[in-house]
Amino acid sequence: MNEVFRQTIFIHRDEKIVLLEILEEGKLKYFAYTYVARERHGNWMPVVRWDNFENIPHVEKYDENGGLIERMETEHKTRNEIIQLITTFRKNLLAMNLGGM
Amino acid sequence: MQIELKKEYSQKDVAKLTQDLAEKYGSLERLEQSIELSKCTKPFAVDDFFVWKALTEGGKLTESTVITYTEVFNILTQRRVELLEYLQTRNPVSIRQIAEELGRDYKNVYDDISALEDAELVVTKKKGRNVYITSAVSSIMISFQKGGF
């Protein structure tokens, strides 16, 4: 039995974390944790995203137009670790070496 | 302090969601091809693919929105909470219909729906002359906690 867990955490009116987990028989099969910010025209754009597409955990950084800047492989982190990381460092995430964390 | 808004998905809701995904992407196979070609430019399409695939295989969906900033109380006024309650049982096709059924001014209802939509608490979808307005939440829970998440 598959379970789909979707959660949006608004940490500010113009900033949110979009969480998605898909579990198969209780095991985490796919995850995507995306820090999203609203740009000046009101559109939501991804800023930093962790996911395991193609079964490889990695982190991606995006520019203000939603274009990919950087993609790095990273160790798997739990949902709560990512939420903590984003809420603590949200203003500096793009400047941080997230692949090495 | 945080407010958690939960959405419980009935079978009908899941069917509606998969229908919306079909309208947006065509088919699951077409979406799969699309994300293989352009994964990095469409990160949320990748998410939609995995959600759609899991639901097609009979998956159960749980969804919630958590709001951690206190300004949300400016959004959740008494009138807007009443609107969310109204949307639990009604499926209006226009703001005018809501205004008439609730005996409220059209402009005020329009402003309230816009504010709730902005906070992703309601979803509006235009189809022809109609605007289908649905609630994105089915319960609101306020909790006080120490040390964040």
Side-chain angles (χ1 to χ4, degrees), chain A residues 4 8 10 16 49 60, chain B residues 39 47 60 62 66 68 120:
Chain A
V4 180
T8 301
F10 279 87
K16 63 184 180 179
R49 172 182 166 98
E60 295 165 347
Chain B
K39 186 262 161 180
D47 294 353
K60 183 186 164 202
T62 310
V66 176
T68 61
E120 299 185 7

Side-chain angles (χ1 to χ4, degrees), chain A residues 2-4 6-13 16 20 22 30 32 38 49 51 53 58 60 62 68 83, chain B residues 9 39-40 43-44 46-47 50-51 54 57-66 68-69 118 120 149:
Chain A
N2 288 339
E3 282 178 69
V4 180
R6 289 203 303 198
Q7 187 173 56
T8 301
I9 301 174
F10 279 87
I11 52 177
H12 186 268
R13 181 184 290 267
K16 63 184 180 179
L20 172 66
I22 294 178
Y30 176 75
R38 204 188 320 241
R49 172 182 166 98
D51 72 45
F53 185 58
H58 56 262
E60 295 165 347
Y62 292 84
L68 184 73
I83 293 169
Chain B
Y9 276 81
K39 186 262 161 180
C40 293
F44 293 116
V46 178
D47 294 353
F50 281 103
V51 169
E57 292 165 357
K60 183 186 164 202
L61 174 60
T62 310
E63 187 163 35
S64 67
T65 300
V66 176
T68 61
Y69 60 95
D118 201 39
E120 299 185 7
F149 295 93

Side-chain angles (χ1 to χ4, degrees), chain B residues 93-111:
Chain B
V93 294
S94 69
I95 289 174
R96 190 164 302 282
Q97 181 189 342
I98 300 174
E100 283 172 8
E101 290 186 1
L102 294 178
R104 293 187 55 194
D105 177 70
Y106 173 86
K107 173 74 169 60
N108 292 341
V109 174
Y110 177 87
D111 289 344

